[in-house]
Coordinates of all heavy atoms in Angstrom, one line a residue:
H1 N 0.8 -1.2 0.0 CA 0.0 0.0 0.0 C 0.9 1.3 0.0 O 2.1 1.2 -0.2 CB -0.9 0.0 1.3 CG -1.9 -1.2 1.2 ND1 -2.9 -1.4 0.3 CD2 -1.8 -2.3 2.0 CE1 -3.5 -2.5 0.6 NE2 -2.8 -3.1 1.5
G2 N 0.3 2.4 0.2 CA 1.0 3.7 0.2 C 0.8 4.4 -1.0 O 0.3 3.9 -2.0
P3 N 1.3 5.7 -1.0 CA 1.0 6.6 -2.2 C 1.7 6.1 -3.5 O 1.2 6.4 -4.5 CB 1.6 7.9 -1.7 CG 1.8 7.8 -0.3 CD 1.9 6.4 0.1
A4 N 2.8 5.3 -3.4 CA 3.5 4.9 -4.6 C 2.6 4.0 -5.4 O 2.8 3.8 -6.6 CB 4.8 4.2 -4.2
N5 N 1.6 3.3 -4.8 CA 0.8 2.3 -5.5 C -0.6 2.9 -5.8 O -1.4 2.2 -6.4 CB 0.6 1.1 -4.6 CG 1.9 0.4 -4.4 OD1 2.8 0.3 -5.4 ND2 2.2 -0.2 -3.2
V6 N -0.9 4.1 -5.4 CA -2.2 4.7 -5.7 C -2.3 5.2 -7.1 O -1.3 5.7 -7.6 CB -2.5 5.9 -4.7 CG1 -3.8 6.5 -5.0 CG2 -2.4 5.4 -3.3
K7 N -3.4 4.9 -7.7 CA -3.6 5.4 -9.1 C -4.8 6.4 -9.1 O -5.7 6.4 -8.2 CB -4.0 4.2 -10.0 CG -2.8 3.3 -10.1 CD -3.1 2.2 -11.1 CE -2.0 1.1 -10.9 NZ -1.2 0.8 -12.0
N8 N -4.7 7.3 -10.1 CA -5.8 8.3 -10.1 C -7.1 7.7 -10.5 O -7.1 6.6 -11.0 CB -5.4 9.4 -11.0 CG -5.4 9.1 -12.5 OD1 -5.0 8.0 -12.9 ND2 -5.9 10.0 -13.3
I9 N -8.2 8.4 -10.3 CA -9.5 7.8 -10.5 C -10.0 8.2 -11.9 O -11.0 7.6 -12.4 CB -10.5 8.2 -9.4 CG1 -10.6 9.7 -9.3 CG2 -10.1 7.7 -8.1 CD1 -11.7 10.2 -8.3
G10 N -9.5 9.2 -12.5 CA -9.9 9.5 -13.9 C -11.3 10.1 -14.1 O -12.0 9.6 -15.0
C11 N -11.7 11.0 -13.3 CA -13.0 11.6 -13.4 C -13.0 13.1 -13.7 O -14.1 13.7 -13.9 CB -13.9 11.2 -12.3 SG -13.5 12.1 -10.7
T12 N -11.8 13.7 -13.6 CA -11.8 15.2 -13.7 C -11.9 15.7 -15.1 O -11.0 15.3 -15.9 CB -10.5 15.7 -13.0 OG1 -10.5 15.2 -11.7 CG2 -10.5 17.2 -13.0
P13 N -12.9 16.4 -15.4 CA -13.1 17.0 -16.8 C -12.3 18.3 -17.0 O -12.1 19.0 -16.0 CB -14.6 17.2 -16.9 CG -15.0 17.5 -15.5 CD -14.1 16.7 -14.6
F14 N -12.0 18.6 -18.2 CA -11.3 19.9 -18.6 C -11.3 20.0 -20.1 O -11.5 19.0 -20.8 CB -9.9 19.9 -18.0 CG -9.0 19.0 -18.8 CD1 -8.1 19.4 -19.8 CD2 -8.9 17.6 -18.5 CE1 -7.3 18.5 -20.5 CE2 -8.1 16.7 -19.2 CZ -7.3 17.2 -20.2
P15 N -11.1 21.1 -20.6 CA -11.7 22.4 -20.3 C -13.1 22.4 -20.7 O -13.6 21.6 -21.4 CB -10.8 23.4 -21.1 CG -10.5 22.7 -22.3 CD -10.3 21.3 -21.9
Y16 N -13.8 23.4 -20.2 CA -15.3 23.5 -20.4 C -15.7 24.5 -21.5 O -15.0 25.5 -21.6 CB -16.0 23.9 -19.1 CG -16.2 22.8 -18.1 CD1 -15.2 22.6 -17.2 CD2 -17.3 21.9 -18.2 CE1 -15.4 21.5 -16.3 CE2 -17.4 20.9 -17.3 CZ -16.5 20.7 -16.3 OH -16.7 19.7 -15.5
H17 N -16.7 24.2 -22.2 CA -17.3 25.1 -23.1 C -18.8 24.9 -23.0 O -19.3 23.8 -23.3 CB -16.9 24.9 -24.5 CG -17.5 25.9 -25.5 ND1 -17.2 27.2 -25.5 CD2 -18.4 25.6 -26.4 CE1 -18.0 27.8 -26.5 NE2 -18.7 26.8 -27.1
S18 N -19.5 25.9 -22.7 CA -21.0 25.8 -22.5 C -21.4 24.6 -21.6 O -22.2 23.7 -22.0 CB -21.7 25.6 -23.9 OG -21.4 26.7 -24.7
D19 N -20.8 24.5 -20.5 CA -21.0 23.5 -19.5 C -20.7 22.1 -19.9 O -21.3 21.1 -19.4 CB -22.5 23.6 -18.9 CG -22.7 24.9 -18.2 OD1 -21.7 25.4 -17.6 OD2 -23.8 25.3 -18.2
Q20 N -19.9 21.9 -20.9 CA -19.5 20.6 -21.4 C -18.0 20.5 -21.5 O -17.4 21.4 -22.0 CB -20.1 20.2 -22.8 CG -21.6 20.1 -22.8 CD -22.2 19.6 -24.1 OE1 -21.6 20.0 -25.2 NE2 -23.2 18.9 -24.1
A21 N -17.5 19.4 -20.9 CA -16.0 19.2 -20.9 C -15.6 18.7 -22.3 O -16.3 17.8 -22.9 CB -15.6 18.2 -19.9
F22 N -14.4 19.1 -22.8 CA -13.9 18.6 -24.0 C -13.1 17.3 -23.7 O -13.1 16.4 -24.5 CB -12.9 19.6 -24.6 CG -13.6 20.7 -25.3 CD1 -13.5 22.0 -24.7 CD2 -14.3 20.6 -26.5 CE1 -14.1 23.0 -25.3 CE2 -14.9 21.6 -27.1 CZ -14.8 22.9 -26.5
F23 N -12.5 17.2 -22.6 CA -11.6 16.0 -22.2 C -11.8 15.6 -20.8 O -12.3 16.4 -20.0 CB -10.1 16.4 -22.4 CG -9.8 16.9 -23.8 CD1 -9.6 18.2 -24.0 CD2 -9.6 16.0 -24.8 CE1 -9.3 18.7 -25.3 CE2 -9.3 16.4 -26.1 CZ -9.1 17.8 -26.3
N24 N -11.4 14.4 -20.4 CA -11.3 13.9 -19.0 C -10.0 13.3 -18.8 O -9.4 12.8 -19.7 CB -12.4 12.9 -18.8 CG -13.7 13.4 -18.6 OD1 -14.3 14.0 -19.6 ND2 -14.3 13.3 -17.4
V25 N -9.5 13.4 -17.6 CA -8.3 12.8 -17.2 C -8.5 11.2 -17.2 O -9.6 10.8 -16.8 CB -7.8 13.2 -15.7 CG1 -6.6 12.3 -15.3 CG2 -7.5 14.6 -15.7
R26 N -7.6 10.5 -17.8 CA -7.8 9.0 -17.9 C -7.5 8.4 -16.5 O -6.6 8.8 -15.8 CB -6.8 8.5 -18.9 CG -7.2 9.1 -20.3 CD -7.0 8.3 -21.4 NE -7.4 7.0 -21.3 CZ -7.2 6.1 -22.4 NH1 -6.6 6.5 -23.4 NH2 -7.6 4.8 -22.2
A27 N -8.2 7.4 -16.2 CA -8.1 6.6 -15.0 C -6.9 5.6 -15.0 O -6.5 5.2 -16.1 CB -9.3 5.8 -14.7
G28 N -6.4 5.3 -13.8 CA -5.4 4.2 -13.7 C -4.0 4.6 -13.8 O -3.0 3.8 -13.9
I29 N -3.7 5.9 -13.9 CA -2.3 6.4 -13.9 C -1.7 6.5 -12.6 O -2.4 7.1 -11.7 CB -2.3 7.8 -14.6 CG1 -2.9 7.8 -16.1 CG2 -0.9 8.4 -14.6 CD1 -3.1 9.1 -16.6
P30 N -0.6 5.9 -12.3 CA 0.0 6.1 -11.0 C 0.2 7.6 -10.6 O 0.6 8.4 -11.4 CB 1.4 5.4 -11.1 CG 1.3 4.5 -12.3 CD 0.3 5.2 -13.2
I31 N -0.2 7.9 -9.4 CA -0.3 9.3 -9.0 C 1.1 10.0 -9.1 O 1.2 11.2 -9.4 CB -0.9 9.6 -7.6 CG1 -0.1 8.9 -6.5 CG2 -2.3 9.2 -7.6 CD1 -0.5 9.4 -5.1
I32 N 2.2 9.3 -8.9 CA 3.5 9.8 -9.0 C 3.8 10.3 -10.5 O 4.4 11.4 -10.7 CB 4.6 8.9 -8.5 CG1 5.9 9.6 -8.3 CG2 4.8 7.7 -9.4 CD1 6.0 10.5 -7.1
D33 N 3.3 9.5 -11.4 CA 3.4 9.9 -12.8 C 2.5 11.1 -13.1 O 2.9 12.0 -13.9 CB 3.1 8.8 -13.8 CG 4.1 7.6 -13.6 OD1 5.2 7.9 -13.3 OD2 3.7 6.5 -13.9
A34 N 1.3 11.1 -12.6 CA 0.3 12.3 -12.8 C 0.9 13.5 -12.2 O 0.8 14.6 -12.8 CB -1.0 11.9 -12.2
L35 N 1.5 13.4 -11.0 CA 2.1 14.6 -10.4 C 3.3 15.1 -11.2 O 3.5 16.3 -11.4 CB 2.5 14.3 -8.9 CG 1.4 14.1 -8.0 CD1 1.9 13.6 -6.7 CD2 0.6 15.4 -7.8
S36 N 4.1 14.2 -11.7 CA 5.3 14.6 -12.5 C 4.8 15.3 -13.8 O 5.4 16.4 -14.2 CB 6.1 13.4 -12.9 OG 7.2 13.7 -13.7
Q37 N 3.8 14.7 -14.5 CA 3.3 15.4 -15.7 C 2.7 16.7 -15.4 O 2.9 17.7 -16.1 CB 2.2 14.4 -16.3 CG 1.6 15.0 -17.6 CD 2.7 15.1 -18.7 OE1 3.5 14.1 -19.0 NE2 2.8 16.1 -19.5
S38 N 1.9 16.8 -14.3 CA 1.4 18.1 -13.9 C 2.4 19.1 -13.7 O 2.3 20.3 -14.1 CB 0.5 17.9 -12.7 OG -0.1 19.1 -12.3
S39 N 3.5 18.7 -13.0 CA 4.6 19.6 -12.8 C 5.2 20.1 -14.1 O 5.5 21.4 -14.3 CB 5.7 18.9 -11.9 OG 6.8 19.8 -11.8
D40 N 5.4 19.2 -15.1 CA 5.9 19.6 -16.4 C 5.0 20.6 -17.1 O 5.4 21.6 -17.6 CB 6.1 18.4 -17.3 CG 7.3 17.5 -16.8 OD1 8.1 18.0 -15.9 OD2 7.3 16.4 -17.3
L41 N 3.7 20.3 -17.0 CA 2.7 21.2 -17.7 C 2.7 22.6 -17.1 O 2.7 23.6 -17.8 CB 1.3 20.6 -17.6 CG 1.1 19.3 -18.4 CD1 -0.3 18.7 -18.0 CD2 1.1 19.7 -19.9
L42 N 2.7 22.6 -15.7 CA 2.7 23.9 -15.0 C 4.0 24.7 -15.2 O 4.0 25.9 -15.3 CB 2.3 23.7 -13.6 CG 1.0 23.2 -13.3 CD1 0.8 22.8 -11.8 CD2 -0.1 24.2 -13.8
S43 N 5.1 24.0 -15.3 CA 6.4 24.6 -15.6 C 6.4 25.3 -17.0 O 6.8 26.5 -17.2 CB 7.5 23.7 -15.6 OG 8.8 24.3 -15.8
L44 N 5.8 24.6 -18.0 CA 5.7 25.2 -19.3 C 4.7 26.4 -19.3 O 5.0 27.4 -19.9 CB 5.2 24.1 -20.3 CG 6.2 23.1 -20.7 CD1 5.6 22.0 -21.5 CD2 7.3 23.7 -21.6
A45 N 3.6 26.2 -18.6 CA 2.7 27.3 -18.5 C 3.3 28.6 -17.8 O 3.1 29.7 -18.3 CB 1.5 26.9 -17.6
K46 N 4.1 28.4 -16.9 CA 4.8 29.5 -16.2 C 5.7 30.2 -17.3 O 5.7 31.4 -17.3 CB 5.6 29.0 -15.0 CG 6.5 30.1 -14.3 CD 7.3 29.4 -13.3 CE 8.2 30.4 -12.6 NZ 9.4 30.9 -13.4
S47 N 6.4 29.4 -18.0 CA 7.3 30.0 -19.1 C 6.5 30.8 -20.1 O 6.8 31.9 -20.5 CB 8.1 28.9 -19.8 OG 9.0 28.3 -18.9
F48 N 5.4 30.2 -20.6 CA 4.6 30.9 -21.5 C 3.9 32.2 -20.9 O 3.8 33.2 -21.6 CB 3.4 30.0 -22.1 CG 3.9 29.1 -23.2 CD1 3.7 27.7 -23.1 CD2 4.6 29.6 -24.3 CE1 4.1 26.9 -24.1 CE2 5.0 28.7 -25.3 CZ 4.8 27.4 -25.2
A49 N 3.6 32.1 -19.7 CA 3.0 33.3 -19.0 C 4.0 34.4 -18.9 O 3.7 35.6 -19.1 CB 2.4 32.9 -17.6
E50 N 5.2 34.1 -18.6 CA 6.3 35.1 -18.5 C 6.5 35.7 -19.9 O 6.6 36.9 -20.1 CB 7.6 34.5 -18.1 CG 7.6 34.2 -16.6 CD 8.8 33.3 -16.1 OE1 9.6 32.9 -17.0 OE2 9.0 33.2 -14.9
D51 N 6.5 34.9 -21.0 CA 6.6 35.4 -22.3 C 5.4 36.3 -22.7 O 5.6 37.3 -23.3 CB 6.6 34.2 -23.4 CG 7.9 33.4 -23.3 OD1 8.9 33.9 -22.7 OD2 8.0 32.3 -23.9
A52 N 4.3 35.9 -22.2 CA 3.1 36.7 -22.5 C 3.2 38.1 -21.8 O 2.6 39.1 -22.4 CB 1.8 35.9 -22.1
A53 N 3.8 38.1 -20.7 CA 3.9 39.4 -20.0 C 4.8 40.4 -20.7 O 4.7 41.6 -20.6 CB 4.4 39.2 -18.6
F54 N 5.8 39.8 -21.5 CA 6.7 40.7 -22.2 C 6.5 40.9 -23.7 O 6.9 41.8 -24.3 CB 8.1 40.2 -22.0 CG 8.6 40.2 -20.6 CD1 8.7 39.0 -19.8 CD2 8.9 41.4 -20.0 CE1 9.1 39.1 -18.5 CE2 9.3 41.5 -18.6 CZ 9.4 40.3 -17.9
I55 N 5.8 39.9 -24.3 CA 5.5 40.0 -25.7 C 4.1 40.5 -25.9 O 3.1 39.8 -25.7 CB 5.7 38.7 -26.4 CG1 7.2 38.2 -26.2 CG2 5.4 38.8 -27.9 CD1 7.4 36.8 -26.7
K56 N 4.0 41.7 -26.3 CA 2.6 42.4 -26.4 C 2.0 42.3 -27.7 O 0.8 42.5 -27.9 CB 2.7 43.9 -26.0 CG 3.3 44.1 -24.7 CD 2.4 43.6 -23.6 CE 3.0 43.9 -22.2 NZ 2.5 43.1 -21.2
D57 N 2.7 41.8 -28.8 CA 2.1 41.8 -30.1 C 1.2 40.6 -30.4 O 0.6 40.5 -31.5 CB 3.2 41.9 -31.2 CG 4.2 40.8 -31.2 OD1 4.3 40.1 -30.2 OD2 4.9 40.6 -32.2
T58 N 1.2 39.6 -29.5 CA 0.4 38.4 -29.7 C -0.1 37.8 -28.4 O 0.5 38.1 -27.4 CB 1.2 37.3 -30.4 OG1 0.4 36.2 -30.7 CG2 2.4 36.9 -29.7
D59 N -1.2 37.1 -28.4 CA -1.7 36.5 -27.2 C -1.5 35.0 -27.2 O -2.0 34.3 -26.3 CB -3.2 36.9 -27.0 CG -4.1 36.3 -28.1 OD1 -3.6 35.8 -29.1 OD2 -5.3 36.4 -28.0
R60 N -0.8 34.5 -28.1 CA -0.7 33.0 -28.2 C 0.0 32.4 -27.1 O -0.3 31.3 -26.6 CB 0.0 32.6 -29.5 CG 1.5 32.9 -29.6 CD 2.2 32.5 -30.8 NE 3.6 32.9 -30.7 CZ 4.3 33.2 -31.7 NH1 3.8 33.2 -32.9 NH2 5.5 33.6 -31.6
H61 N 1.0 33.1 -26.4 CA 1.6 32.6 -25.2 C 0.7 32.6 -24.1 O 0.7 31.6 -23.2 CB 2.8 33.5 -24.9 CG 4.0 33.4 -25.9 ND1 4.1 34.3 -26.9 CD2 5.0 32.5 -26.0 CE1 5.1 34.0 -27.7 NE2 5.7 32.9 -27.2
A62 N -0.2 33.6 -24.0 CA -1.1 33.6 -22.9 C -2.1 32.4 -23.0 O -2.5 31.8 -22.0 CB -1.9 34.9 -22.8
W63 N -2.6 32.1 -24.2 CA -3.5 31.1 -24.4 C -2.8 29.7 -24.2 O -3.5 28.8 -23.6 CB -4.2 31.1 -25.8 CG -5.3 32.1 -25.8 CD1 -5.3 33.3 -26.5 CD2 -6.5 32.0 -25.1 NE1 -6.5 34.0 -26.2 CE2 -7.2 33.2 -25.4 CE3 -7.1 31.0 -24.3 CZ2 -8.5 33.4 -24.9 CZ3 -8.4 31.3 -23.8 CH2 -9.1 32.5 -24.1
A64 N -1.6 29.6 -24.6 CA -0.9 28.3 -24.3 C -0.7 28.1 -22.8 O -1.0 27.0 -22.3 CB 0.5 28.4 -25.0
A65 N -0.4 29.2 -22.1 CA -0.3 29.1 -20.7 C -1.6 28.7 -20.1 O -1.6 27.9 -19.1 CB 0.2 30.4 -20.1
H66 N -2.7 29.3 -20.5 CA -4.0 29.0 -20.0 C -4.3 27.5 -20.1 O -4.7 26.8 -19.2 CB -5.1 29.8 -20.7 CG -6.5 29.4 -20.5 ND1 -7.1 29.6 -19.3 CD2 -7.3 28.7 -21.3 CE1 -8.3 29.1 -19.4 NE2 -8.5 28.6 -20.5
Y67 N -4.2 27.0 -21.3 CA -4.6 25.5 -21.5 C -3.6 24.6 -20.8 O -4.1 23.6 -20.3 CB -4.6 25.2 -23.0 CG -5.8 25.8 -23.6 CD1 -5.8 26.8 -24.5 CD2 -7.1 25.3 -23.3 CE1 -7.0 27.3 -25.1 CE2 -8.3 25.8 -23.8 CZ -8.2 26.8 -24.7 OH -9.4 27.4 -25.2
L68 N -2.3 24.9 -20.7 CA -1.4 24.1 -20.0 C -1.8 24.1 -18.5 O -1.7 23.1 -17.8 CB 0.0 24.5 -20.2 CG 0.6 24.2 -21.6 CD1 1.9 25.0 -21.7 CD2 0.8 22.7 -21.8
T69 N -2.2 25.3 -18.0 CA -2.6 25.4 -16.6 C -3.8 24.6 -16.3 O -4.0 23.9 -15.3 CB -2.8 26.9 -16.2 OG1 -1.6 27.6 -16.5 CG2 -3.2 27.0 -14.8
V70 N -4.8 24.6 -17.2 CA -6.1 23.9 -17.0 C -5.8 22.4 -17.0 O -6.3 21.6 -16.2 CB -7.0 24.2 -18.2 CG1 -8.2 23.2 -18.2 CG2 -7.5 25.6 -18.1
M71 N -4.9 21.9 -17.9 CA -4.5 20.5 -17.9 C -3.8 20.1 -16.6 O -4.0 19.0 -16.1 CB -3.7 20.2 -19.1 CG -4.4 20.3 -20.5 SD -3.4 20.4 -21.9 CE -2.6 18.8 -21.8
G72 N -2.8 20.9 -16.2 CA -2.1 20.6 -15.0 C -3.0 20.6 -13.8 O -2.9 19.7 -12.9
K73 N -3.9 21.5 -13.7 CA -4.8 21.5 -12.6 C -5.8 20.3 -12.6 O -6.1 19.7 -11.5 CB -5.7 22.8 -12.6 CG -6.7 22.9 -11.4 CD -7.5 24.2 -11.5 CE -8.4 24.4 -10.4 NZ -9.2 23.2 -10.0
A74 N -6.2 19.9 -13.7 CA -7.1 18.7 -13.8 C -6.3 17.5 -13.3 O -6.9 16.7 -12.6 CB -7.5 18.5 -15.2
L75 N -5.1 17.3 -13.6 CA -4.3 16.2 -13.1 C -4.2 16.3 -11.6 O -4.4 15.3 -10.9 CB -2.9 16.2 -13.8 CG -2.9 15.6 -15.1 CD1 -1.4 15.8 -15.7 CD2 -3.1 14.1 -15.1
L76 N -3.9 17.4 -11.1 CA -3.7 17.6 -9.6 C -5.1 17.3 -8.9 O -5.1 16.7 -7.9 CB -3.3 19.0 -9.3 CG -1.8 19.3 -9.6 CD1 -1.5 20.7 -9.3 CD2 -0.9 18.4 -8.8
D77 N -6.2 17.9 -9.4 CA -7.5 17.7 -8.9 C -7.8 16.1 -8.8 O -8.4 15.6 -7.9 CB -8.5 18.4 -9.6 CG -8.5 19.9 -9.4 OD1 -7.8 20.4 -8.5 OD2 -9.2 20.6 -10.2
D78 N -7.5 15.5 -9.9 CA -7.7 14.0 -10.0 C -6.9 13.3 -9.0 O -7.4 12.3 -8.3 CB -7.5 13.5 -11.4 CG -8.4 12.3 -11.7 OD1 -9.6 12.5 -11.9 OD2 -7.9 11.2 -11.8
V79 N -5.7 13.6 -8.8 CA -4.8 13.0 -7.8 C -5.4 13.2 -6.4 O -5.4 12.3 -5.6 CB -3.3 13.5 -7.9 CG1 -2.6 13.1 -6.6 CG2 -2.7 13.0 -9.1
I80 N -5.8 14.4 -6.1 CA -6.4 14.8 -4.8 C -7.6 13.9 -4.5 O -7.8 13.4 -3.4 CB -6.7 16.3 -4.7 CG1 -5.4 17.1 -4.6 CG2 -7.6 16.6 -3.5 CD1 -5.6 18.5 -4.8
Q81 N -8.5 13.7 -5.5 CA -9.6 12.9 -5.3 C -9.3 11.4 -5.1 O -10.0 10.7 -4.3 CB -10.5 12.9 -6.6 CG -11.2 14.3 -6.7 CD -12.1 14.3 -7.9 OE1 -12.9 13.4 -8.1 NE2 -12.1 15.4 -8.6
A82 N -8.1 10.9 -5.6 CA -7.7 9.6 -5.3 C -7.1 9.5 -3.9 O -7.2 8.4 -3.3 CB -6.7 9.2 -6.4
L83 N -6.5 10.5 -3.4 CA -5.8 10.5 -2.1 C -6.8 10.7 -0.9 O -6.5 10.2 0.2 CB -4.7 11.4 -2.0 CG -3.5 11.1 -3.0 CD1 -2.5 12.2 -2.9 CD2 -2.9 9.8 -2.6
I84 N -7.8 11.5 -1.2 CA -8.7 11.9 0.0 C -9.9 11.0 -0.1 O -10.6 10.9 -1.1 CB -9.2 13.4 -0.2 CG1 -7.9 14.3 0.0 CG2 -10.2 13.7 0.9 CD1 -8.2 15.7 -0.2
P85 N -10.1 10.3 1.0 CA -11.3 9.4 1.0 C -12.6 10.1 0.9 O -12.7 11.2 1.4 CB -11.2 8.7 2.4 CG -10.1 9.4 3.2 CD -9.4 10.3 2.3
R86 N -13.5 9.5 0.2 CA -14.8 10.1 0.0 C -15.6 9.9 1.3 O -15.5 8.8 1.9 CB -15.5 9.5 -1.2 CG -14.8 9.7 -2.5 CD -15.6 9.1 -3.6 NE -14.6 8.9 -4.7 CZ -14.7 7.9 -5.6 NH1 -15.7 7.2 -5.7 NH2 -13.7 7.8 -6.5
P87 N -16.5 10.9 1.6 CA -17.3 10.7 2.8 C -18.3 9.6 2.5 O -18.7 9.4 1.4 CB -18.0 12.0 3.0 CG -17.8 12.8 1.7 CD -16.6 12.2 1.0
A88 N -18.7 8.9 3.6 CA -19.7 7.8 3.5 C -21.0 8.4 3.1 O -21.4 9.5 3.5 CB -19.8 7.1 4.8
R89 N -21.7 7.7 2.2 CA -23.0 8.2 1.7 C -24.0 8.0 2.8 O -24.1 7.0 3.5 CB -23.4 7.4 0.5 CG -24.7 7.9 -0.1 CD -25.0 7.1 -1.3 NE -26.3 7.5 -1.9 CZ -27.5 7.1 -1.5 NH1 -27.6 6.3 -0.5 NH2 -28.6 7.6 -2.0
T90 N -24.8 9.1 3.1 CA -25.8 9.0 4.0 C -27.2 8.9 3.3 O -27.3 9.3 2.2 CB -25.8 10.2 5.0 OG1 -26.0 11.4 4.2 CG2 -24.5 10.2 5.8
K91 N -28.1 8.3 4.0 CA -29.5 8.2 3.4 C -30.1 9.6 3.3 O -30.0 10.4 4.2 CB -30.4 7.3 4.2 CG -30.0 5.9 4.2 CD -31.0 5.0 5.0 CE -30.6 3.6 4.9 NZ -31.6 2.7 5.6
T92 N -30.8 9.8 2.2 CA -31.5 11.0 2.0 C -32.8 10.9 2.8 O -33.2 9.8 3.3 CB -31.9 11.2 0.5 OG1 -32.8 10.2 0.1 CG2 -30.7 11.3 -0.4
E93 N -33.4 12.0 3.0 CA -34.7 12.1 3.8 C -35.7 11.0 3.3 O -36.3 10.4 4.1 CB -35.2 13.4 3.9 CG -36.4 13.6 4.8 CD -36.8 15.1 5.0 OE1 -35.9 16.0 4.9 OE2 -38.0 15.3 4.9
S94 N -35.8 10.9 2.0 CA -36.8 10.0 1.4 C -36.5 8.6 1.6 O -37.3 7.7 1.5 CB -37.1 10.4 0.0 OG -35.9 10.2 -0.8
E95 N -35.1 8.3 1.9 CA -34.7 6.9 2.0 C -34.8 6.5 3.5 O -34.7 5.2 3.7 CB -33.2 6.8 1.6 CG -33.1 7.0 0.1 CD -31.6 7.0 -0.3 OE1 -30.8 7.5 0.4 OE2 -31.4 6.4 -1.4
T96 N -34.9 7.4 4.4 CA -34.9 6.9 5.8 C -36.3 6.4 6.1 O -37.3 6.8 5.6 CB -34.6 8.1 6.8 OG1 -35.5 9.2 6.5 CG2 -33.1 8.6 6.5
E97 N -36.3 5.4 7.1 CA -37.5 4.8 7.4 C -38.2 5.8 8.5 O -37.6 6.2 9.4 CB -37.3 3.5 8.0 CG -36.8 2.5 7.0 CD -36.7 1.1 7.6 OE1 -37.7 0.7 8.3 OE2 -35.7 0.5 7.4
I98 N -39.5 6.0 8.2 CA -40.3 6.8 9.2 C -41.1 5.8 10.0 O -41.8 5.0 9.5 CB -41.2 7.7 8.4 CG1 -40.4 8.7 7.5 CG2 -42.1 8.5 9.4 CD1 -41.2 9.5 6.5
P99 N -40.9 5.9 11.3 CA -41.6 5.0 12.2 C -43.1 5.2 12.1 O -43.6 6.3 11.9 CB -41.2 5.4 13.6 CG -40.1 6.4 13.4 CD -40.0 6.8 12.0
E100 N -43.8 4.1 12.1 CA -45.3 4.1 12.0 C -45.9 4.8 13.1 O -46.9 5.4 13.0 CB -45.8 2.7 11.7 CG -45.4 2.1 10.4 CD -46.1 0.8 10.1 OE1 -47.1 0.5 10.7 OE2 -45.5 0.0 9.4
S101 N -45.4 4.5 14.3 CA -46.0 5.2 15.5 C -45.1 6.3 16.0 O -43.9 6.1 16.3 CB -46.2 4.1 16.6 OG -45.0 3.6 16.9
L102 N -45.7 7.4 16.1 CA -44.9 8.6 16.6 C -45.3 9.0 17.9 O -46.3 9.1 18.4 CB -45.0 9.8 15.6 CG -44.3 9.6 14.3 CD1 -44.6 10.8 13.4 CD2 -42.9 9.4 14.4

């Protein structure tokens, strides 16, 4: 057991357009690999964001930084969901039994 053997759950969607996701993170990737990939994506995004701050004649660096950030964040969010246990499901009000005699 331990974090080295944990795999991501693959449910995080990204990016959105009109409330629909274009892509989802794939399930079954070891979290160490997902974290490494996320670090690479965010490092590239940082470089593009710095370029965008200095190069005013185009916005392509800013958009590249935006999409790399969205992808890196989706990977991190998916890893977090794999590492943090989900709360136990509780019965809804309609599912609970109402005693016949009150």
Side-chain angles (χ1 to χ4, degrees):
H1 300 289
N5 297 320
V6 177
K7 296 184 189 239
N8 73 319
I9 58 175
C11 71
T12 305
F14 70 98
Y16 281 92
H17 177 72
S18 300
D19 295 332
Q20 291 185 330
F22 286 109
F23 304 102
N24 284 65
V25 174
R26 300 214 39 186
I29 300 167
I31 62 167
I32 195 72
D33 294 334
L35 290 172
S36 177
Q37 181 66 45
S38 181
S39 179
D40 291 345
L41 291 168
L42 295 173
S43 178
L44 287 169
K46 178 184 176 286
S47 295
F48 279 127
E50 288 171 351
D51 289 348
F54 295 108
I55 301 171
K56 301 296 183 196
D57 62 338
T58 182
D59 63 354
R60 71 176 177 215
H61 293 94
W63 281 109
H66 167 73
Y67 284 110
L68 289 167
T69 303
V70 168
M71 292 166 60
K73 182 182 180 314
L75 278 171
L76 288 175
D77 289 349
D78 209 71
V79 166
I80 289 168
Q81 289 184 42
L83 291 175
I84 296 176
R86 296 180 206 156
R89 185 179 178 277
T90 58
K91 290 184 178 182
T92 64
E93 189 175 317
S94 62
E95 293 174 321
T96 58
E97 292 184 46
I98 302 172
E100 291 182 26
S101 60
L102 292 175

